[in-house]
Amino acid sequence: MKVMKTSALRFHSPFSIAILAICILVPFQSASGQKKKNKKIAEVPVVQNIVISENLMSLYRIVIPASATPQELKASKILQDYLLQISGAALPVITADKSVSKYEILLGQNERLDQLGITINFNELQADGFVIKTDSLRLIIAGGNKNGTIYGVYTFLEKYLGCRMYSPDVKIIPKQEKITLSIINDKEIPLIKFRDAHYKVAWNSEYSAWHKLDHDAQGARPAWGSWVHTFNKLVPPEIYFKDHPEYYALRNGKRTPTQLCLTNPEVLKIVIQSLRKEIAGNPDAKYWSVSQNDNRQYCMCDNCQAINKQEGSPSGSILTFVNQVADQFPDHMISTLAYEYSRKAPATIRPRKNINIMLCSIEMRRDQPFATATDSMSLSFVRDVKDWGKIASDIIVWDYVIQFNNLISPFPNLMVLQPNLRFFVENGVTAMFEQGNREVGGEFAELRTYLISKLLWDPYANADSVINDFLNGYYGAAAKPIRQYIDLMLEASVNSKQPLRIFGSPSDASESYLTPALMEKYKELYNEAELSVAHDPAILERVRIARLPLSFAIMEQAKKNFTGDNGIFIKNGDKWIVRPEIRSMIDPFTDLCIRQGVTKMREWHTTPDAYRADMYRLFYQGRNEHLAFNKKIILVSPDSTIVPAGSWKMLNDGIRGTNDRENNWFEFQGKDLDVIIDLGKVQKIQHIECGSYQFAAWLGILPKKVEFFVSEGGKKFDLVGSVDNTLPIDQYDFLQKDFISDFKPRNCRFVRVVAHTIGNTPESHPGAGQAALMAIDEIVVE
């Protein structure tokens, strides 16, 4: 287990109490597990403080091994630089083959340790663990053979000298006229061997090193040659599918390039050959992915199904296949997914020792710790984690920590992060990928990255103290109201007992943690927070950025409500106008997002400017009580039994669909839309339109053509307009299109709209062969 010790120590930092609360006190031991009995050490007669520097001067030098590794050299420069910033004293860096002094800071796997009779079990420290200890007047920071010494230096700076790195742009480096240390005897060995806090905030080389994360400044993972969803990369459909459809999944009697047929021996040969080429191009990478594509359309041929039936899970055919691949690469780790349909462990097949299981928690609720939730999904997930833990020797969990549908939305899950990590560690998980926001920004992005990083290193740290430490350091005087905001929202979410899910929305939370009454309290707390730091422009900007999720939630709920006190539009006499609060909110909100560098509002789409454009589109279209408004609709297609009862009434309810597919879109799969609207009486019309959206990554495809018809009697319809879609299917951003027909005025009572689906998605689409989703909203007649 991870062990730490903090002995009596004189701190000069206001953060020291919080940090002490994180530590577990245990005695430092030698490699043999017994207290040191070395004669030289035992002869030290008194315990004395170490004065590293005083009044810009220091007797100390930093000693590195004579043949220092690049990591040890880097650690010495980091320590030298920060000691200079803190104290003004410039400590020289020398190698261990130089003369010995009693005033030394020994770094790394240093031969000076043997000379002094100081024993450290470097095998125990593994790659990233470290020891920080004093010995007589010396300070020792020595770590494992990867980044241990670097991590030890940053921990020393943080724990003992009060330094903080809250974000790449916000650091606390306290000045000290005198650096005095008492006895230190710490050892830290991480339980989680691979740690990835997947936030853009962490894509900074110093931030990653400071917080002990396993990715580089671009978010890449050097130890991984390939990451996930690699079937199509290993057996490219554009090369093989035309001539060899049998290499791919059988679905409903037809081969489609959604997944591989894992019992086809030729597929195994191609995968091994492709992987061998990839490894040759990057021989230093240890982990290589052979894993399912990101869809649920796995092969259902007789051979694959026979294995899956015997094993009780599609993981059976996957693991049978990947075991054979792993046998060909005994010096590498072959990673495969336990994800969605393959999450359940197989009954009898066991992964090879060089197989990594990437286990994903995508379906789970986030308002309760996994281990204590009692809903059926949570219980099955806990079972799966435990089952994989019994049979796999190398498991990485892919966890999800934000609301992906709405990256900036409030998402009160901070207090389940730690119990979930502890649950994973206690069930054999040795690696964690915490998927946050790969875009810039997001709700409390800096706080979340900081907290997750601390908990990845030590799942048993005091999370509450870590949060408070960050809030005080990052938001200054605004920390108190922001903490009250966090706690109030968390309490409301827990008390509501409503599930918190990563694909939810602010509208989903309108009866739990984002009720109108709570929203007013949240506004008051942020008003207080802004007022408390009004004198400090830099911190005020951070507070306003922290407020963005609240503003976003207000606007998103307004879209859903559409009219009234909490909607976009309110009545002014007999006219509908944009509610002033919403109109005044959108531009400052968008401008601040752009100033912060926010790239996307939702996981795959919607830039801040696109979000503003969508709002202004709504403002312009307004609440249009047109000729077809709330008139009777006859649904010809799709059949009313395959869609929610009465859902087609949204087609002419005066409420527009937006760039969120949850907002007022009439959706269905694989069918044309064919509706007739009875205007109630014969009248002149000259304009018909309807809107649709395309989000191809989720099967949402624009109709290939929309036709408009009119009739006086409802029997014979005349075509008055036809609009073809000219946008390609491979545009995966979320986009909206209006199909509009203007024509010479016609007398009619009945309007017919027919929108033609493309049918099934083509072979080039990630969801090849599946029925396309059509979404239509607001048929406007004027």
Side-chain angles (χ1 to χ4, degrees):
M1 65 174 288
K2 172 183 171 181
V3 291
M4 301 181 183
K5 176 173 178 178
T6 304
S7 300
L9 173 67
R10 183 170 152 197
F11 284 84
H12 300 270
S13 164
F15 309 109
S16 59
I17 295 176
I19 296 301
L20 277 170
I22 298 174
C23 301
I24 300 170
L25 305 184
V26 298
F28 180 83
Q29 295 184 332
S30 67
S32 65
Q34 302 298 318
K35 292 182 180 179
K36 289 188 184 5
K37 298 180 180 179
N38 183 281
K39 188 173 182 180
K40 288 186 179 179
I41 304 301
E43 289 177 349
V44 176
V46 293
V47 174
Q48 50 189 314
N49 289 340
I50 295 176
V51 180
I52 298 293
S53 67
E54 186 173 10
N55 297 326
L56 308 180
M57 302 293 290
S58 178
L59 297 173
Y60 278 79
R61 59 250 191 103
I62 300 167
V63 182
I64 59 175
S67 299
T69 66
Q71 291 89 347
E72 290 166 336
L73 284 169
K74 182 178 179 180
S76 69
K77 292 176 182 177
I78 293 167
L79 183 60
Q80 183 186 47
D81 177 59
Y82 277 100
L83 289 176
L84 178 62
Q85 292 184 58
I86 293 167
S87 69
L91 276 65
V93 177
I94 67 168
T95 53
D97 53 3
K98 302 298 188 294
S99 60
V100 177
S101 165
K102 61 182 179 180
Y103 301 110
E104 293 180 334
I105 301 176
L106 305 181
L107 294 186
Q109 300 188 14
N110 202 307
E111 50 265 51
R112 188 84 95 224
L113 296 173
D114 291 336
Q115 295 169 14
L116 297 168
I118 301 170
T119 302
I120 294 175
N121 186 347
F122 287 103
N123 289 331
E124 180 190 25
L125 298 180
Q126 302 174 45
D128 294 336
F130 56 82
V131 165
I132 306 173
K133 69 186 301 286
T134 53
D135 186 88
S136 185
L137 292 176
R138 292 183 180 85
L139 172 66
I140 300 161
I141 305 174
N145 54 21
K146 186 182 175 186
N147 292 314
T149 301
I150 293 174
Y151 294 164
V153 165
Y154 278 125
T155 297
F156 171 74
L157 293 171
E158 183 165 305
K159 187 183 290 189
Y160 303 113
L161 301 185
C163 299
R164 294 291 186 277
M165 189 175 194
Y166 293 120
S167 76
D169 301 319
V170 180
K171 282 197 277 190
I172 305 295
I173 312 297
K175 305 297 183 182
Q176 299 186 35
E177 291 184 4
K178 183 178 182 180
I179 298 177
T180 304
L181 304 176
S182 200
I183 295 176
I184 303 174
N185 209 359
D186 284 1
K187 177 166 56 178
E188 298 190 18
I189 304 170
L191 294 168
I192 300 172
K193 308 306 179 186
F194 174 87
R195 302 166 298 278
D196 192 336
H198 192 66
Y199 269 94
K200 209 67 171 281
V201 173
W203 296 6
N204 171 278
S205 56
E206 185 177 24
Y207 189 97
S208 293
W210 189 305
H211 295 287
K212 309 170 182 66
L213 300 172
D214 288 293
H215 51 65
D216 61 22
Q218 287 73 47
R221 307 154 198 90
W224 291 73
S226 55
W227 182 235
V228 74
H229 302 313
T230 57
F231 277 179
N232 275 4
K233 182 181 179 183
L234 293 166
V235 188
E238 61 271 21
I239 295 176
Y240 293 105
F241 182 70
K242 181 179 179 181
D243 295 328
H244 295 283
E246 70 275 11
Y247 292 174
Y248 299 90
L250 182 70
R251 301 290 301 186
N252 300 316
K254 183 180 179 181
R255 295 284 178 176
T256 61
T258 51
Q259 303 286 355
L260 298 178
C261 178
L262 298 175
T263 53
N264 187 313
E266 293 304 312
V267 171
L268 179 63
K269 292 178 184 177
I270 294 169
V271 166
I272 291 171
Q273 183 182 45
S274 296
L275 189 57
R276 204 176 299 282
K277 290 179 181 177
E278 289 192 13
I279 292 174
N282 186 9
D284 294 333
K286 180 180 180 181
Y287 285 82
W288 293 88
S289 175
V290 178
S291 61
Q292 69 204 56
N293 298 323
D294 198 3
N295 64 69
R296 302 177 181 91
Q297 306 300 302
Y298 58 91
C299 185
M300 300 187 73
C301 74
D302 290 345
N303 291 335
C304 288
Q305 283 294 82
I307 298 174
N308 295 341
K309 183 177 180 180
Q310 178 180 329
E311 295 298 325
S313 169
S315 64
S317 57
I318 292 174
L319 202 53
T320 299
F321 181 87
V322 177
N323 272 344
Q324 295 176 80
V325 176
D327 289 341
Q328 299 299 311
F329 302 96
D331 297 328
H332 293 85
M333 296 297 297
I334 307 302
S335 177
T336 198
L337 281 163
Y339 172 58
E340 293 189 328
Y341 67 83
S342 64
R343 198 189 72 197
K344 183 181 178 183
T348 64
I349 298 173
R350 298 294 178 258
R352 300 287 195 265
K353 292 296 183 183
N354 64 321
I355 282 183
N356 164 266
I357 300 298
M358 183 177 280
L359 178 60
C360 304
S361 65
I362 193 168
E363 307 92 344
M364 301 300 294
R365 60 191 295 174
R366 309 288 157 168
D367 54 298
Q368 300 175 2
F370 298 153
T372 58
T374 57
D375 61 289
S376 59
M377 180 61 73
S378 298
L379 292 174
S380 68
F381 179 74
V382 167
R383 177 205 66 204
D384 292 343
V385 172
K386 292 181 177 180
D387 287 348
W388 281 111
K390 294 172 185 175
I391 66 174
S393 58
D394 194 302
I395 300 175
I396 181 171
V397 166
W398 184 314
D399 197 17
Y400 307 79
V401 296
I402 60 169
Q403 191 171 87
F404 290 90
N405 273 4
N406 303 282
L407 299 174
I408 297 181
S409 180
F411 195 63
N413 70 327
L414 289 180
M415 293 308 175
V416 304
L417 298 175
Q418 182 172 49
N420 287 347
L421 280 171
R422 289 181 178 180
F423 165 70
F424 291 134
V425 165
E426 290 163 7
N427 284 279
V429 174
T430 56
M432 288 295 308
F433 175 75
E434 296 280 27
Q435 186 179 359
N437 190 5
R438 67 179 172 211
E439 309 292 341
V440 174
E443 188 213 22
F444 287 126
E446 292 80 10
L447 168 60
R448 289 172 173 277
T449 310
Y450 188 85
L451 175 62
I452 289 168
S453 299
K454 296 297 184 189
L455 295 178
L456 286 173
W457 181 255
D458 180 10
Y460 297 89
N462 187 322
D464 197 59
S465 294
V466 173
I467 293 172
N468 287 336
D469 171 61
F470 179 91
L471 295 179
N472 285 311
Y474 195 76
Y475 295 113
K480 182 178 178 181
I482 290 178
R483 180 65 201 242
Q484 290 173 330
Y485 165 83
I486 291 170
D487 291 343
L488 180 60
M489 187 175 290
L490 173 67
E491 181 183 14
S493 175
V494 171
N495 289 343
S496 74
K497 295 182 170 52
Q498 296 298 311
L500 181 67
R501 301 197 185 278
I502 65 173
F503 295 115
S505 72
S507 296
D508 294 340
S510 61
E511 296 182 0
S512 56
Y513 59 91
L514 294 177
T515 66
L518 284 169
M519 299 282 258
E520 291 302 315
K521 292 181 180 179
Y522 300 153
K523 290 181 194 176
E524 292 173 6
L525 288 169
Y526 267 113
N527 290 341
E528 179 186 344
E530 290 189 28
L531 185 62
S532 69
V533 295
H535 62 285
D536 190 322
I539 297 182
L540 179 60
E541 183 84 343
R542 292 176 210 158
V543 172
R544 287 174 172 166
I545 287 171
R547 188 172 188 156
L548 286 173
L550 178 59
S551 299
F552 178 78
I554 291 169
M555 291 187 289
E556 287 297 290
Q557 288 191 355
K559 289 181 187 179
K560 189 74 171 181
N561 297 325
F562 210 71
T563 60
D565 291 341
N566 296 309
I568 290 181
F569 300 100
I570 56 174
K571 264 290 181 68
N572 184 19
D574 60 350
K575 292 184 178 180
W576 289 100
I577 64 169
V578 179
R579 185 157 62 98
E581 181 186 4
I582 299 301
R583 185 178 286 281
S584 65
M585 186 178 292
I586 181 60
D587 284 326
F589 171 85
T590 307
D591 292 347
L592 182 53
C593 285
I594 292 170
R595 201 157 65 240
Q596 185 193 7
V598 172
T599 44
K600 292 284 194 300
M601 312 289 289
R602 311 189 196 280
E603 184 183 13
W604 295 103
H605 62 89
T606 309
T607 65
D609 269 332
Y611 188 80
R612 171 161 39 200
D614 182 66
M615 288 294 286
Y616 271 96
R617 182 177 188 266
L618 280 177
F619 296 166
Y620 172 76
Q621 292 173 329
R623 167 76 168 186
N624 186 354
E625 296 181 0
H626 49 84
L627 296 177
F629 174 67
N630 280 345
K631 294 299 191 292
K632 179 183 177 182
I633 293 179
I634 301 167
L635 184 65
V636 180
S637 175
D639 190 284
S640 62
T641 61
I642 67 170
V643 294
S647 58
W648 52 90
K649 293 179 181 179
M650 70 177 68
L651 290 170
N652 63 342
D653 62 0
I655 302 174
R656 294 280 185 162
T658 70
N659 66 349
D660 183 346
R661 57 177 296 199
E662 302 297 324
N663 283 346
N664 218 66
W665 292 103
F666 179 50
E667 294 182 335
F668 49 91
Q669 275 187 280
K671 303 291 182 182
D672 292 340
L673 173 78
D674 189 349
V675 295
I676 299 170
I677 301 176
D678 183 354
L679 303 181
K681 62 182 180 180
V682 175
Q683 49 195 308
K684 282 191 182 299
I685 69 167
Q686 59 186 4
H687 173 96
I688 310 173
E689 68 175 82
C690 70
S692 184
Y693 79 71
Q694 180 161 293
F695 188 23
W698 289 80
L699 299 177
I701 311 294
L702 291 168
K704 63 182 180 183
K705 179 171 66 174
V706 178
E707 295 174 315
F708 303 101
F709 303 84
V710 297
S711 172
E712 287 193 40
K715 300 295 184 184
K716 181 179 179 295
F717 285 85
D718 297 327
L719 179 69
V720 293
S722 179
V723 183
D724 291 329
N725 172 43
T726 57
L727 295 173
I729 193 175
D730 60 354
Q731 290 189 347
Y732 291 105
D733 200 353
F734 189 103
L735 55 90
Q736 297 178 72
K737 178 178 174 63
D738 293 322
F739 293 81
I740 301 172
S741 177
D742 292 301
F743 46 89
K744 291 181 179 180
R746 295 281 301 265
N747 286 323
C748 74
R749 174 176 171 175
F750 298 93
V751 172
R752 187 170 196 166
V753 178
V754 180
H756 297 272
T757 178
I758 68 163
N760 292 342
T761 51
E763 293 169 356
S764 60
H765 189 273
Q770 297 183 69
L773 178 76
M774 185 186 292
I776 303 290
D777 186 51
E778 208 53 29
I779 298 174
V780 177
V781 179
E782 296 174 333

